[in-house]
Amino acid sequence: MAAMSLSIAGMARGAELPPAARAFITSRCTECHDADSKKGGLDLTALPVGLDDPALEAKWTLVYDRVQRGEMPPKKKSVPPANERDGFLRSLGGILSAHDAAREAATGRVVMRRLNRAEYENTVHDLLGIDTPLAYLLPEDATAFGFDNDAEALRLSVSQIESYLNAADTALDAALNLGPDPRSTRRFSYLDLPEIRDILDKPQGFSNNDGTKFQKVIGSVGDAVVVYTNQTFGPTLIRACRAPIAGTYRVRMSAFAHQAAGGPVVVAKMMMNNFQTSRALGSFDLLPEKPRILETTTRIDEGWMFLVSATGCDEIARDGSKLRDVGADQFKGPGIAVQWVEIEGPLLESWPPPSVRRVVGDAPAIKLLAKPRRRLAYEVVSSDPQSDAAKAVAGFAARAFRRPVTPADTVPYTDLARDALAHGATFENAVRRGCKAVLTSPEFIFLQESRGPVQAAQDRRLNDYELACRLSYFLWSSMPDDELLRLAGQGKLKDPATLRAQTERLLASPKAHAFTKNFCGQWLNLRAIDDTMPDARLYPEYDGLLKEAMIGETEAFFDEMLKEDLGVSTLIDSDFAMLNRRLAEHYGIPGVVGEAFRKVTLPPGSHRGGIMTQASVLKVTANGTVSSPVVRGAWVVKRILGRQLQPPPPDAGAIEPDTRGATTIREQLAKHRRSASCSVCHQYMDPPGFALENYDVIGGWRDWYRVQGNTAPSVEFVDRTTGKKIYVRKGPAVDPSGQLTDGRKFADIDELKKLLLDQRVDVARNLTNNLITYATGANVTFADRADVQKILTDAQPHSYGLRTLVHEIVQSRLFQTK
């Protein structure tokens, strides 16, 4: 009866299970997975074989994988003979592979996809030579298979088209800057500002006009102004530093820590402010009474102003006196002393900026107006406007389309410029019209890859220009540079040695940080770092510097793996971490000084090493109050081990966090796991989640839970960064022990890591699958598994090193075909 049901269900969807697969399921599976039992929410007697439905294909793939891993039939049942099991896998695997192969033959692995927001912004920046933010002007991108550069997610809507028009205008405004030369270097001392002198000259307690008493929170020492609060300098103190136009500036400041000897480290945080929001430029540790020149180079928008804030200062001194009671002249607490600030920029070698030539071309002259105005000081003059405009737009299109163009390709855009000239437009506005159309055209917005005949896979190989684009968008999230396009034009890029050399060159470029940031941000879910804010009552030591350090550690760790070609075992455990002073303090690791990240050998008993115990991961897998073994365990199982988990059944219910510590999360889960439908996934998720319970919601080590309420005992400790005393409520002790599905037990995270090292091949396969999805814009299908295995086989002698995996992927059929 079960076999008949399978056959009918399959036929209803136009497909049937092969006889060997049907026989195996009938004899080995339907006792638990029929309409009556339906364990795990799966009824195999009624599951259609309609592989065109992605959800159905995923279910049949999961059936295949669980049988292949030996998880099904369960151990309590009789183990099927190897030939019966292998016959089932060949049978079911055959139809899964054949289905994916047929789909690939018809459409290719990768359907045409548009640039996502980050790629669009980077491409326009490289094309025009500007750094104006553009991504925020475009709608947020959807994701598919974990990434926002996957073709399945990158649809195009009417609102997006309107946004592209707006973004193109913004970009061309920045590129065609013909105003007066704004370049300058300005240095000033805060002591020279009248607003500062007025504050310093008033005594503490001076009667203000409104009848209040003046509180002197700013003092001076020598040639420096001293601020003793963690608050930023007020807007009246920073008007002298307003950026005249948007651009890249070099900001330098001379500062030191005052009255900080023997106390907490004082950190100067350089920021920009526009009266509505602030943006951090960099953080720098200061030495007691020893001036240090701080420097950062960053983009600053027009009208934004420079300011300074401090960390490690408190308005209550160690002797108990309060700043606002005694005033800055008598206060003995630590402060930040600023001597001078210098702002140089915008940093351009010439003016008008080179971006003007990127648009108007080399033929016309750029002349200074006889009477320059505030917004217009230069004009573009051509002796043959029609011809020069057409050449400018055609040349722009060739670069924007990332391939050679024919006159037929560019006529629609050059005609727009010619028509504008005929109607009286200036030369630059006429060219701008054609270039705007280029920036909003399908040829620019989409990564278009041709597809050859379907008879053979080699006919679907990318041409050299398409390969150049795939490589540059993989590692730079931007368009190919001149060298890649030159090699593509010579037909040399497909040569394996040339392609390997170019991969090395792109990885060595600073632009490769886009790969680290975008890949890690999505694979590890680091983009969710701001989704929750830790409860200030439970975690008062959390601050913005710590959050920045969290992300910085994980990105630096990935960079180190990439640079040194470290194997995937490093993801599970490592004898080093990438730390700066703030994060080392948080981890309780001594001897790390300064704001820069560096490789630090971990001391015994640190409980760090690898990805899972990094604060960024621990924060994004918790809410602001409590952690959950389910969420953290699911993160490990899915993002590190690559196991696909089924969504919870509708009647699973939710586990409500107990913030007062009456019950532990382990006690709540024990009840939850009694459900057979829940235990299917929880047996994999919960063990690594339990091991990570020794880490709180901001990644700090704990032996007991912090709880809310007045009944729990209060515990005092000193914040390593600020030196302040912090009081929290002590809840139940943490139990990080557990047992894996194979029966192996562990006492804590250190023992779990040793067990997980046996699954390094699973980690390597999962990392490879994610890299391929990110690199090609298409998910890895069942038919791709043979190619993935070849990549792993070739990388195995190098311990599945990260750099090796990148190279093997670039050399693979999956990367080099449509």
Side-chain angles (χ1 to χ4, degrees):
M1 184 66 185
M4 183 179 295
S5 298
L6 281 168
S7 176
I8 293 173
M11 290 172 62
R13 298 300 298 267
E16 272 193 85
L17 281 177
R22 184 170 63 245
F24 183 90
I25 288 176
T26 301
S27 62
R28 299 289 179 179
C29 306
T30 54
E31 180 181 348
C32 297
H33 299 290
D34 60 6
D36 296 326
S37 301
K38 205 174 183 178
K39 289 190 176 181
L42 182 62
D43 177 10
L44 288 176
T45 66
L47 184 65
V49 194
L51 300 183
D52 286 335
D53 182 339
L56 290 175
E57 183 180 21
K59 287 185 177 181
W60 284 113
T61 301
L62 181 63
V63 170
Y64 177 96
D65 288 340
R66 298 205 69 184
V67 173
Q68 184 188 50
R69 290 193 294 257
E71 298 168 359
M72 288 291 161
K75 293 180 176 58
K76 62 183 179 181
K77 304 291 183 180
S78 60
V79 178
N83 63 334
E84 183 183 342
R85 173 180 172 273
D86 293 344
F88 166 76
L89 294 175
R90 284 194 301 272
S91 179
L92 179 58
I95 66 167
L96 290 170
S97 291
H99 175 268
D100 287 341
R103 180 174 55 196
E104 181 179 325
T107 63
R109 281 192 71 253
V110 187
V111 298
M112 185 172 68
R113 71 175 180 90
R114 65 172 173 82
L115 304 179
N116 65 22
R117 294 196 304 171
E119 292 168 339
Y120 179 90
E121 179 178 273
N122 292 340
T123 302
V124 174
H125 285 180
D126 287 344
L127 180 64
L128 291 174
I130 62 174
D131 58 5
T132 303
L134 300 171
Y136 79 97
L137 297 171
L138 305 175
E140 186 173 351
D141 296 306
T143 62
F145 307 107
F147 296 97
D148 66 4
N149 67 343
D150 192 284
E152 294 294 329
L154 294 169
R155 310 300 182 186
L156 189 64
S157 66
V158 173
S159 64
Q160 283 170 321
I161 294 173
E162 294 175 349
S163 298
Y164 282 124
L165 291 168
N166 186 25
D169 275 331
T170 302
L172 291 168
D173 283 343
L176 289 169
N177 193 331
L178 297 172
D181 189 345
R183 293 174 294 172
S184 67
T185 299
R186 294 167 291 143
R187 177 185 287 200
F188 65 92
S189 166
Y190 278 111
L191 284 178
D192 295 333
L193 297 177
E195 300 93 332
I196 293 288
R197 294 300 336 165
D198 181 62
I199 294 174
L200 294 177
D201 291 342
K202 287 182 181 178
Q204 172 75 6
F206 178 83
S207 295
N208 294 316
N209 292 333
D210 59 4
T212 60
K213 297 296 183 181
F214 173 68
Q215 294 177 329
K216 191 172 186 178
V217 296
I218 297 177
S220 65
V221 55
D223 61 350
V225 172
V226 185
V227 175
Y228 296 99
T229 74
N230 286 329
Q231 299 176 356
T232 56
F233 284 8
T236 57
L237 311 183
I238 56 178
R239 292 184 183 274
C241 324
R242 188 189 298 266
I245 69 166
T248 299
Y249 290 79
R250 182 179 295 112
V251 182
R252 302 170 73 237
M253 179 176 74
S254 179
F256 58 89
H258 180 53
Q259 298 180 166
V265 175
V266 176
V267 180
K269 190 171 183 180
M270 300 169 68
M271 305 180 71
M272 293 304 296
N273 179 283
N274 68 346
F275 294 118
Q276 295 178 338
T277 185
S278 296
R279 179 169 62 89
L281 305 182
S283 301
F284 307 86
D285 292 355
L286 298 180
L287 300 175
E289 314 306 332
K290 294 182 179 179
R292 176 190 175 189
I293 296 179
L294 318 178
E295 181 176 315
T296 186
T297 300
T298 185
R299 176 186 166 78
I300 301 175
D301 291 329
E302 181 177 351
W304 283 60
M305 294 165 288
F306 175 80
L307 55 90
V308 183
S309 68
T311 298
C313 299
D314 191 5
E315 293 190 31
I316 302 177
R318 288 186 288 272
D319 62 6
S321 62
K322 296 181 180 180
L323 171 64
R324 296 184 185 275
D325 290 342
V326 302
D329 293 339
Q330 302 299 321
F331 188 62
K332 302 303 180 185
I336 173 174
V338 181
Q339 295 173 300
W340 52 262
V341 174
E342 180 181 277
I343 299 181
E344 177 187 0
L347 301 177
L348 295 167
E349 294 182 0
S350 61
W351 191 265
S355 58
V356 175
R357 287 291 185 193
R358 299 275 187 107
V359 179
V360 303
D362 296 328
I366 301 177
K367 296 182 178 181
L368 181 66
L369 292 172
K371 295 181 178 181
R373 300 190 295 273
R374 181 174 177 270
R375 291 288 184 179
L376 185 64
Y378 295 85
E379 62 178 338
V380 181
V381 180
S382 169
S383 58
D384 188 355
Q386 289 284 341
S387 175
D388 288 347
K391 290 177 183 177
V393 173
F396 184 81
R399 297 192 304 276
F401 295 165
R402 307 173 286 272
R403 62 170 177 80
V405 296
T406 65
D409 292 326
T410 61
V411 161
Y413 310 104
T414 57
D415 281 352
L416 287 172
R418 291 177 185 273
D419 181 68
L421 286 171
H423 286 81
T426 63
F427 182 87
E428 62 269 23
N429 283 337
V431 173
R432 174 195 175 111
R433 186 183 183 196
C435 291
K436 179 180 178 180
V438 168
L439 291 177
T440 54
S441 68
E443 289 276 6
F444 177 73
I445 293 174
F446 285 85
L447 290 173
Q448 304 193 40
E449 297 169 342
S450 59
R451 183 174 62 82
V454 299
Q455 298 92 297
Q458 59 265 30
D459 293 328
R460 298 194 301 274
R461 289 190 65 189
L462 303 177
N463 64 40
D464 283 74
Y465 287 101
E466 294 163 347
L467 185 57
C469 286
R470 186 168 283 189
L471 182 62
S472 66
Y473 281 100
F474 174 27
L475 299 179
W476 284 355
S477 295
S478 188
M479 64 186 294
D481 65 356
D482 290 343
E483 182 169 344
L484 276 178
L485 292 175
R486 176 179 59 80
L487 290 169
Q490 295 171 351
K492 295 180 178 179
L493 195 56
K494 287 181 181 176
D495 173 68
T498 301
L499 187 57
R500 186 170 295 273
Q502 288 301 304
T503 303
E504 277 293 313
R505 183 178 71 84
L506 267 63
L507 286 172
S509 167
K511 292 172 67 173
H513 184 66
F515 169 45
T516 295
K517 186 175 185 64
N518 292 327
F519 179 73
C520 288
Q522 297 179 87
W523 169 46
L524 301 176
N525 200 31
L526 301 186
R527 289 183 177 179
I529 194 73
D530 288 321
D531 284 3
T532 61
M533 177 59 68
D535 189 312
R537 294 167 297 177
L538 290 173
Y539 300 98
E541 68 269 42
Y542 180 79
D543 59 24
L545 285 181
L546 180 57
K547 185 197 78 172
E548 293 170 13
M550 289 176 175
I551 297 296
E553 175 193 20
T554 303
E555 291 181 351
F557 187 84
F558 188 85
D559 282 339
E560 180 70 11
M561 287 189 64
L562 193 60
K563 182 181 72 171
E564 300 297 334
D565 196 27
L566 299 180
V568 295
S569 296
T570 310
L571 291 171
I572 301 172
D573 198 12
S574 63
D575 61 0
F576 73 92
M578 305 300 292
L579 303 176
N580 66 357
R581 191 266 315 159
R582 179 67 180 93
L583 198 62
E585 288 176 344
H586 184 57
Y587 290 169
I589 297 175
V592 180
V593 179
E595 66 280 355
F597 283 91
R598 81 294 308 265
K599 189 174 183 178
V600 177
T601 300
L602 292 170
S606 71
H607 305 297
R608 301 291 170 175
I611 284 285
M612 293 183 295
T613 57
Q614 293 181 6
S616 62
V617 168
L618 296 162
K619 184 180 184 304
V620 300
T621 54
N623 62 30
T625 305
V626 296
S627 59
S628 168
V630 177
V631 176
R632 283 181 173 169
W635 187 96
V636 172
V637 169
K638 179 181 179 181
R639 298 181 187 269
I640 301 300
L641 299 177
R643 178 184 292 273
Q644 297 304 309
L645 298 170
Q646 295 298 297
D651 60 348
I655 299 176
E656 296 297 331
D658 182 354
T659 61
R660 296 182 178 273
T663 59
T664 66
I665 191 71
R666 182 184 288 268
E667 291 169 338
Q668 297 176 65
L669 279 173
K671 180 179 179 181
H672 192 70
R673 291 176 63 184
R674 294 192 187 108
S675 166
S677 59
C678 293
S679 64
V680 171
C681 289
H682 279 275
Q683 63 179 321
Y684 300 105
M685 296 187 299
D686 292 357
F690 288 145
L692 292 172
E693 279 295 276
N694 269 131
Y695 302 91
D696 61 31
V697 304
I698 59 173
W701 179 264
R702 66 185 175 191
D703 295 308
W704 41 265
Y705 295 96
R706 299 184 191 185
V707 298
Q708 297 175 349
N710 298 321
T711 58
S714 179
V715 177
E716 173 191 295
F717 69 94
V718 177
D719 181 6
R720 301 185 187 98
T721 299
T722 65
K724 294 174 62 175
K725 292 181 180 180
I726 291 177
Y727 299 90
V728 295
R729 297 285 179 176
K730 182 177 181 179
V734 172
D735 179 3
S737 63
Q739 179 176 317
L740 299 181
T741 56
D742 59 10
R744 292 181 296 168
K745 297 182 178 180
F746 57 86
D748 55 23
I749 185 63
D750 298 324
E751 291 188 5
L752 175 66
K753 287 180 180 179
K754 294 176 183 178
L755 301 181
L756 291 182
L757 285 172
D758 292 339
Q759 296 179 252
R760 59 172 62 88
V761 177
D762 292 334
V763 177
R765 179 172 286 104
N766 177 59
L767 176 58
T768 301
N769 286 341
N770 278 282
L771 286 169
I772 291 170
T773 301
Y774 179 82
T776 65
N779 188 40
V780 174
T781 68
F782 198 93
D784 297 333
R785 291 187 174 191
D787 293 278
V788 173
Q789 186 56 51
K790 182 180 186 306
I791 291 170
L792 292 172
T793 299
D794 292 342
Q796 191 275 334
H798 299 275
S799 302
Y800 309 110
L802 179 55
R803 202 177 192 92
T804 295
L805 287 175
V806 169
H807 276 294
E808 295 301 331
I809 288 168
V810 171
Q811 297 286 334
S812 71
R813 180 191 72 87
L814 299 179
F815 189 84
Q816 296 189 29
T817 56
K818 169 74 170 70

